[in-house]
Amino acid sequence: MVKDIAPKAGLSADFLWGFATASYQIEGATTEDNRGPSIWDTFCTLPGKVADGTSGLTACDSYHRTAQDIELLRKTGAKAYRFSISWSRIIPLGGRNDPINQAGIQYYSKLVDDLLKADIVPLVTLYHWDLPEALYKRYGGLLNKEEFVADFTNYARILFDALGDRVQHWITFNEPWCSAILGYSLGVHAPGHTSDRTKSPVGDASTEPWIVGHNILIAHASAVKVYREEYASRSGGEIGITLNGDWAEPWDPEDEEDRVACERKTEFSIAWLADPIYFGHYPASMVKQLGDRLPKFTPEEKKLLVGSNDFYGMNHYCANYIRHRDGPADPLDFSGNVDVLMEDKHGNPIGPETQSPWLRPHAPGFRKLIKWLSDRYGRPKIYVTENGTSIKGENDLPMEEILQDDFRVEYFRSYVQAMAEAVAEDGCDCRGYMAWSLMDNFEWAEGYETRFGATYVDYTNGQERYPKKSALEMKGIFDQYIGKV
Ligand code: PNW
């Protein structure tokens, strides 16, 4: 039906909204019920890698408190919950010939059942960075294409088998950009490879990130093939990958070279991993800058990859000002030979400071990036699989003040509105939105000092959960838009 007046903003009646988490960040119980170690367990033991010297040892203790997590979700009115599975709980040693751990399967199977009983739709991420340590030791983990693809595909098949009758939304990988760049270029995430020998004895940041990104793409496509051939026809579910990416604004909008640099930066961060899935090749700007350091797809790989997303999983947090650099790119560069800045030419900040040095809220960029993706990839179905913010100094406040997280409420309000406008006014196809995160949790290299939760977790007192204002306001925010198209 053609509508006379386009609504200001609106989301479909079956729009899925809720909250997201990840296994290593919330579960704890890292040695219980036969779970094998992951590369993050190991990385956290290295001095200086995690800001407060902590780890996921206890985290939010969700392994023992899933009932509380589900109760929390119910209290917020959430329709969906995105969580990830710890590979080394399912296969402690990780590999396709290693034993399967039934206790691990039972844990996630019960979680899925309990969510469904509570009327909450599960979105399951297979890989959110916690690679079994044994695979890293055995063959170099993500750097070894043949072994990694075979082992990931086997792991995925075990979960499709165990949960595929009840889980309809699968995410293969969370943010391969982070695995590749933070893990193999900057060395600030596990396994900590970098060319900087003051930080790590191993790594070559000029080549390894590109190999890792490539191998993850092939592993994604291989798991999707298995899912489609063996499961989707039976259960009707869908599968895709989640990519992170920020919006880019020109440092000097008058400068054509800065405007071109924005496009190149977005290609290096997002199209790097999305173009192969939609087009079967890397962006020309990357081929030009990286040359032979960028792996090539074989004809079979190309075929496997093209069309391997049923939906686009979008993680989005912020925006930057981008200034072009003159001269040739540094071999260690991963952003397209640009400066990534928080202020424009006149010193105006892109957004207010948060507790995360990389994160400045800028809601208009969310709408623009949704449109950019929609235009480039032919209006894919989009699930926003993460969006959220930390708050500067939040951890230093008394609990009563932490619970009044107006900064986060405003962040969610403005970002959800930006998404609703992208749908109603720009014609984009957003079907879901998962706020990061359901609760404060282990924020990787930032430890527990940086809180991203819509729920406060009291780490000093039995990991008790207290919903912040943002957890309780989310339903009201979505009610304004859902069903109003
Ligand atoms: C995402 N950056 O990570 C992850 O998916 C979550 O696990 C994480 O807790 C959340 O965002 C908040 O950080 C990112 O440096 C980590 O640009 C770092 C960056 C981006 C995303």
Side-chain angles (χ1 to χ4, degrees), residues 21-22 25 82 128-129 174-175 177-178 182 186 188-189 242 244-246 315 317-318 356 358-359 386 388 436-437 441-444 446 450 452:
T21 60
Q25 296 182 272
R82 172 181 178 233
H128 200 125
W129 307 351
N174 179 70
E175 303 191 346
W177 182 93
C178 288
L182 305 181
L186 301 175
V188 295
H189 277 193
T242 278
N244 59 304
D246 310 328
N315 284 3
Y317 287 88
C318 55
S356 314
W358 53 273
L359 199 171
E386 280 178 33
W436 185 269
S437 175
N441 56 48
F442 178 67
E443 177 54 12
W444 308 110
E446 306 296 322
T450 300
F452 266 87

